[in-house]
């Protein structure tokens, strides 16, 4: 959410000569996305996002992301294509970092989604899953269910309780519950795995862009629905569940990509898993990030609240 | 250089209904300018910068800045006008902060200026000074020569030497020199007082925008030339002086706004003062900002190097 690598206008001008995109008219560092450096670039021809990949994105994963985006774009999903240079190369080097020039997409990210917006997002997620059924790329989920116990341990022996008294016990019991109930037979697919409202661009209740694919990976397909549900159907602090938004999201998705009885039955445990995953990564970052650092720390409690809601309301997906 | 106040897309959409500017299409937080929060906004009609004023800008100064920008725009200086809402108001409130909607200007800020770019900037500064000769607004310079001794004291008894051994003596001697030699009879004007390359937008060696007027104030007019000279004619670390850029900047300015013999004679001491001013404010921020804070600390040594250069080369303005 900051600009980590400062690229001068002259360096950007020079970088753009590799492409057939016109010459530089404006360049602004933008606060966007995961921990990459992003510039909103305007040329004499068009607008682009220039992304420099910082430590959280492994350059070895870039070919997977590019192939996935090309596949989705070919099937008319609203994803931002990465631009090829004059000799066909998309993964560039700039200021010592891996870098890509990406088409700019209009649209805004909502903070408090309406049911209509959630329905459109559910449909867009379903269309993305449809488009990915014949995608052969694979990428392990570095944040999958098997990693959560170790992540909880890595938070340290007393740190979870320092965030909230009793949190360690909640986490331990939930890890046990998930180990006993995590579905083993559901369909696997490449998924987005991080479809928060920040990563959906909208205009007039229409989805104009799905962005920030840097957590996308191979995992249980319905887990993507669970992540999106946890991200969209609560107030930011997780204290208020919005039943209308929830119903719209699930209905929109199901209309495009049918949720099987098995998917639907698994959604409560998948949503508990999604809540625990974001609670743990936020807790880890909270513990390991100084309060005044460049990165804004996100409150882990917001996902503890979601976890508790899903524990107490397993029936909400039966709509 | 960061986004301090997070404004949701819904809040921006709502804010824009006060104006006749179309509806929101895109909004990106940008890392720009002094410590304000800035969003690059696209509507169905045009592009704008939305600025929320944080602690470094006193809301009571906003009417001065707006009157100044209107005055300059009326005289065809390339400054970004602030947009009036439907009832003629420019200073708004948003998220509890004073806020303005400002016209977006194309252009890029160079990092390593060429002589042609410096010449264009000198001319633009001269044109701005020309346009301000009949401007009646006044604003005290909160960073003027009279404040520097107190600023040095506020850095603390040992902190300057901790930045660089011997720095305290250099500062004390320079303060004495400036007190003895600071010009008392030169023409006064409203000046920009912070015309670094960051604050000049250019396309093809032409100035397309002068921005970030939040240090503008009433002071010795030639001091603005000295500040601009110190900002433009050195490598960023202040170790390399560029004589061709210096000559182009001064010549360009003089062509539009004649430098009197008195101005020219005073430039060496004014440039030493400008160097000390930025060295001291950077030192103060360096001492009082944690190394890992949201704000990037700028190296005070870059302006100590400039100060030493001006001490040793008083003849460079005799061109």
């Amino acid at each position: 959410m900051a600009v980590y690598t400062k690229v001068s206008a002259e360096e950007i001008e020079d970088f753009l000569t590799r492409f057939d995109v016109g010459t530089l008219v404006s360049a602004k560092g933008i606060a966007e996305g995961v921990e990459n450096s992003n510039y909103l670039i305007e040329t004499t021809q068009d607008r682009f996002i220039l992304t420099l990949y910082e430590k959280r994105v492994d350059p070895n994963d870039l070919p997977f992301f590019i192939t996935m985006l090309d596949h989705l774009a070919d099937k008319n999903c609203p994803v931002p294509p990465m631009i090829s240079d004059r000799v066909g190369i998309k993964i560039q080097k700039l200021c010592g970092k891996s870098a890509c020039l990406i088409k700019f997409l209009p649209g805004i990210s909502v903070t408090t989604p309406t049911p209509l917006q959630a329905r459109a997002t559910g449909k867009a997620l379903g269309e993305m899953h449809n488009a990915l059924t014949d995608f052969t790329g694979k990428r392990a989920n570095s944040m999958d269910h098997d990693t959560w116990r170790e992540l909880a341990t890595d938070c340290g022996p007393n740190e979870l309780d320092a965030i909230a008294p009793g949190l360690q016990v909640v986490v331990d019991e939930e890890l046990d519950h998930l180990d006993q109930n995590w579905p083993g037979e559901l369909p696997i697919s490449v998924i987005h795995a991080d479809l928060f409202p920040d990563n959906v661009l909208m205009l007039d209740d229409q989805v104009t862009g799905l962005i920030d694919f840097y957590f996308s990976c191979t995992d249980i397909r319905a887990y993507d629905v669970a992540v999106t549900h946890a991200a969209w159907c609560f107030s930011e602090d997780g204290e208020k569940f919005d039943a209308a938004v929830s119903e719209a999201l699930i209905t929109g998705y199901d209309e495009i990509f049918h949720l099987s009885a098995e998917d639907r039955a698994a959604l409560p445990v998948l949503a508990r898993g999604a809540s625990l995953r974001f609670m743990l990564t936020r807790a880890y970052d909270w513990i390991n990030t100084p309060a005044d650092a460049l990165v804004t720390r996100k409150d882990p409690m917001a996902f503890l609240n979601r976890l508790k809601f899903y524990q107490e309301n397993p029936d909400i997906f039966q709509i």
Side-chain angles (χ1 to χ4, degrees), chain A residues 135-214:
Chain A
F135 178 61
T136 56
K138 282 187 170 49
R139 178 175 176 258
N141 184 358
S142 59
M143 297 280 172
D144 76 3
H145 162 237
D146 289 342
T147 67
W148 299 337
R149 195 173 291 274
E150 187 178 339
L151 182 57
T153 307
D154 287 348
C155 285
N158 306 306
E159 277 71 5
L160 290 176
D161 281 345
I163 290 175
L167 182 55
Q168 184 72 55
V169 169
V170 174
V171 167
D172 289 340
E173 290 179 0
E174 186 63 23
L175 285 167
D176 291 343
H177 175 86
L178 294 174
D179 281 349
Q180 287 151 27
N181 295 282
W182 196 250
E185 306 287 321
L186 289 179
I188 301 296
S189 168
V190 167
I191 62 174
H192 185 287
D194 194 39
L195 200 63
F196 280 62
D198 275 357
N199 294 333
V200 178
L201 300 175
M202 310 197 85
L203 284 176
D204 296 335
D205 304 331
Q206 301 296 313
V207 174
T208 56
L210 303 172
I211 60 174
D212 227 341
F213 281 77
Y214 304 110

Side-chain angles (χ1 to χ4, degrees), chain A residues 4-306:
Chain A
Y4 298 87
T5 303
K6 174 130 175 75
V7 189
S8 72
E10 290 93 331
E11 286 167 323
I12 294 174
E13 275 183 330
D14 185 54
F15 176 79
L16 291 178
T17 62
R18 302 179 199 175
F19 301 84
D20 182 20
V21 294
T23 56
L24 189 62
V25 172
S26 176
K28 308 282 185 196
I30 59 175
E32 180 124 321
V34 293
E35 291 166 47
N36 297 322
S37 295
N38 290 290
Y39 289 83
L40 177 51
I41 302 283
E42 183 182 346
T43 73
T44 44
Q45 286 183 15
D46 207 346
R47 271 175 297 160
F48 304 93
I49 303 287
L50 167 63
T51 299
L52 282 79
Y53 296 95
E54 308 286 348
K55 62 183 175 161
R56 282 229 177 171
V57 173
D58 181 347
N60 295 319
D61 285 332
L62 288 173
F64 169 83
F65 299 135
I66 288 175
T67 317
M68 179 183 180
L69 289 171
D70 284 347
H71 186 93
L72 290 170
D74 281 350
K75 302 205 172 196
N76 296 317
C77 288
V79 296
M82 301 199 183
I83 310 298
S84 297
D85 69 10
R86 293 175 196 277
V87 293
I89 294 171
K90 292 182 176 178
I91 304 172
Q92 305 283 332
K93 278 272 176 193
L94 180 59
C95 298
K97 305 276 166 71
S98 296
C100 287
L101 189 67
I102 303 170
K103 190 166 161 53
F104 170 85
L105 297 179
I108 58 171
S109 297
V110 301
T111 297
T112 311
T114 64
L116 275 179
Q117 291 164 337
R119 184 182 173 84
T121 298
K123 290 172 81 161
L125 181 64
E127 280 154 7
M128 192 183 83
H129 286 176
N130 254 335
L132 289 168
T133 48
D134 63 348
F135 178 61
T136 56
K138 282 187 170 49
R139 178 175 176 258
N141 184 358
S142 59
M143 297 280 172
D144 76 3
H145 162 237
D146 289 342
T147 67
W148 299 337
R149 195 173 291 274
E150 187 178 339
L151 182 57
T153 307
D154 287 348
C155 285
N158 306 306
E159 277 71 5
L160 290 176
D161 281 345
I163 290 175
L167 182 55
Q168 184 72 55
V169 169
V170 174
V171 167
D172 289 340
E173 290 179 0
E174 186 63 23
L175 285 167
D176 291 343
H177 175 86
L178 294 174
D179 281 349
Q180 287 151 27
N181 295 282
W182 196 250
E185 306 287 321
L186 289 179
I188 301 296
S189 168
V190 167
I191 62 174
H192 185 287
D194 194 39
L195 200 63
F196 280 62
D198 275 357
N199 294 333
V200 178
L201 300 175
M202 310 197 85
L203 284 176
D204 296 335
D205 304 331
Q206 301 296 313
V207 174
T208 56
L210 303 172
I211 60 174
D212 227 341
F213 281 77
Y214 304 110
F215 286 104
S216 60
C217 57
T218 311
D219 208 331
I220 296 170
R221 186 189 289 126
Y223 178 64
D224 218 8
V225 180
V227 167
T228 310
H229 190 273
W232 280 74
C233 304
F234 296 83
S235 58
E236 198 166 335
D237 61 9
E239 292 195 0
K240 272 172 68 181
F241 172 71
D242 189 323
V245 165
S246 166
E247 185 175 338
L249 181 79
I250 297 295
T251 307
Y253 179 83
D254 185 59
E255 200 176 301
I256 302 295
F257 199 104
H258 177 62
L259 279 167
S260 70
E262 293 75 19
D263 288 333
R264 231 177 247 275
L267 277 174
V269 69
L270 294 172
R272 288 171 66 159
S275 302
L276 187 73
R277 172 258 189 264
F278 287 102
M279 204 267 284
L280 286 175
T281 48
R282 287 184 172 201
Y284 183 86
D285 288 345
W286 192 269
I287 292 159
N288 292 289
T289 306
D292 57 359
L294 202 62
V295 183
T296 309
R297 302 189 304 178
K298 292 182 176 170
D299 188 354
M301 303 307 286
F303 277 83
L304 178 63
N305 290 333
R306 286 163 168 86

